[in-house]
Amino acid sequence: MNLAQFLAGRLVKGIIVLFAIAILNFLLIRAAPGDPAQVLAGEAGAADAQLLEQLRARFGLDQPFLTQLWIYLKGYLTFDLGFSYRQQQPVLNLIMERLPATLLLTGAAFLVSLVVGTAMGALAARRAGKWSDSLITTLALMFYATPLFWVALMSQIVFALKLGLVPNVGYETIGANYTGLARALDIGQHLVLPALTLGLFFTALYARMMRASMLEVAGADFVKTARAKGVSQARVWRRHVARNAILPVVTLAGLQAGQLVGGAVLTETVFAWPGIGRLMFDALVQRDYSVLLGVFFVSSAMVVCFNIATDLVYRIVDPRIEANA
């Protein structure tokens, strides 16, 4: 199977998965109590039956269930994610405004956690049984067990409010009107705390996985053969142990990459980061179901893309893996 056939097969499977997820999301949202009409009528202070009927007719909530489902799916086929009755603009526009901020946050957290986690795990495996191994293992356990919201709040208090090293909230400095490199540096400073906070948990996962995988590979027969042939220890660990041990880490990273979007909801809320996680939280509070469904769909599409990218990375890391496996 060549690369084009492999990608085509993965894309077809991904479309089927997205279609099933879209239906499931619609059913779950419709099963929730209340509706947008009741929320708007309650805020207007005139929740009479006539107003509720007018609002339901305006938002299409008076249509039969299957008709609503068909309109919902037909819109997705044409990339029409609906209209936000709270924001008074198309859902797709809202998501596209927020998506770059979320991609920046999750991408930075993913890279930091993957690089730092694999490096910590490799160092712990090389020095297994020594004090550095115990220190790294203890730190990884602490990172894994510490609640994300507590880390977010404590990092704000210590590094932003007490030490003043980095900004505590926001995407960029309001009113500064930076441009070019100055704006990029300003955004980078605001990115430090959210990215490190979001990536801390995954750093611990990758460190523990890399350490265990390297210790397992280090006892394999082909590694013993390489040592018997006089290959240097550095080359054995780099070319034979680490290259084979990283495959489980790549698998885990591909699966966990999609979860970063879910973790970004809490992180974006605490740090006031204007991403789709914050948008989803606000839509949930306001019962803006069109926005919720749109964010769910885009998040699912991102997970599917991450999984396809993981399969491609597998082919690069280990060409022995068949594309149709």
Side-chain angles (χ1 to χ4, degrees):
M1 180 182 294
N2 57 36
L3 183 59
Q5 293 175 328
F6 165 75
L7 287 177
R10 289 294 189 271
L11 286 175
V12 171
K13 294 177 182 177
I15 292 173
I16 295 174
V17 169
L18 286 177
F19 182 77
I21 290 176
I23 295 177
L24 180 61
N25 287 337
F26 182 85
L27 296 177
L28 291 175
I29 290 296
R30 286 298 179 266
D35 58 45
Q38 292 180 343
V39 176
L40 286 179
E43 291 180 353
D48 58 273
Q50 183 178 1
L51 178 60
L52 286 175
E53 290 300 325
Q54 292 176 352
L55 292 174
R56 289 194 177 100
R58 178 183 176 185
F59 302 132
L61 299 176
D62 59 338
Q63 299 291 330
F65 175 80
L66 292 180
T67 303
Q68 293 185 43
L69 178 60
W70 167 244
I71 295 174
Y72 163 72
L73 294 177
K74 184 174 65 173
Y76 276 31
L77 291 176
T78 58
F79 298 100
D80 180 11
L81 303 185
F83 189 83
S84 171
Y85 67 93
R86 297 303 299 250
Q87 307 293 336
Q88 292 298 309
Q89 58 178 306
V91 174
L92 184 60
N93 292 349
L94 287 172
I95 294 177
M96 295 308 296
E97 290 175 0
R98 304 289 191 99
L99 187 59
T102 294
L103 291 178
L104 177 62
L105 174 59
T106 55
F110 179 74
L111 289 177
V112 169
S113 61
L114 185 59
V115 172
V116 175
T118 53
M120 289 175 59
L123 180 61
R126 283 291 304 270
R127 300 181 177 276
K130 299 182 179 179
W131 68 269
S132 53
D133 176 32
S134 301
L135 177 62
I136 292 175
T137 303
T138 303
L139 288 175
L141 182 60
M142 290 176 56
F143 295 162
Y144 182 82
T146 305
L148 180 62
F149 71 89
W150 187 88
V151 175
L153 294 175
M154 290 300 103
S155 62
Q156 283 183 321
I157 293 175
V158 175
F159 297 106
L161 300 180
K162 295 294 185 181
L163 300 179
L165 298 178
V166 289
N168 62 330
V169 294
Y171 181 75
E172 57 185 321
T173 303
I174 299 176
N177 297 322
Y178 292 127
T179 59
L181 181 60
R183 183 169 184 263
L185 293 176
D186 183 50
I187 294 175
Q189 288 181 336
H190 286 79
L191 179 64
V192 171
L193 285 184
L196 292 180
T197 300
L198 182 59
L200 199 62
F201 172 80
F202 299 96
T203 299
L205 285 180
Y206 301 147
R208 291 164 64 89
M209 174 65 74
M210 189 65 178
R211 179 185 181 277
S213 182
M214 287 189 68
L215 291 178
E216 180 181 357
V217 174
D221 292 336
F222 70 91
V223 176
K224 297 178 181 178
T225 302
R227 288 174 175 152
K229 290 181 177 180
V231 180
S232 65
Q233 284 294 325
R235 186 178 178 85
V236 167
W237 282 97
R238 184 178 66 255
R239 294 295 300 274
H240 298 278
V241 178
R243 186 171 183 178
N244 289 277
I246 203 172
L247 292 177
V249 179
V250 172
T251 303
L252 181 64
L255 296 174
Q256 299 289 341
Q259 295 186 9
L260 282 170
V261 179
V265 176
L266 177 59
T267 306
E268 290 179 2
T269 302
V270 173
F271 289 99
W273 189 263
I276 62 173
R278 178 70 180 273
L279 177 65
M280 180 170 62
F281 177 79
D282 293 339
L284 178 63
V285 174
Q286 299 168 354
R287 291 183 181 176
D288 197 343
Y289 293 154
S290 297
V291 175
L292 272 178
L293 289 171
V295 173
F296 289 161
F297 181 79
V298 172
S299 301
S300 302
M302 291 173 63
V303 173
V304 171
C305 292
F306 286 144
N307 288 337
I308 295 176
T310 302
D311 292 334
L312 292 176
V313 171
Y314 247 83
R315 288 171 60 105
I316 297 173
V317 174
D318 192 350
R320 297 171 301 174
I321 298 176
E322 296 291 337
N324 58 355

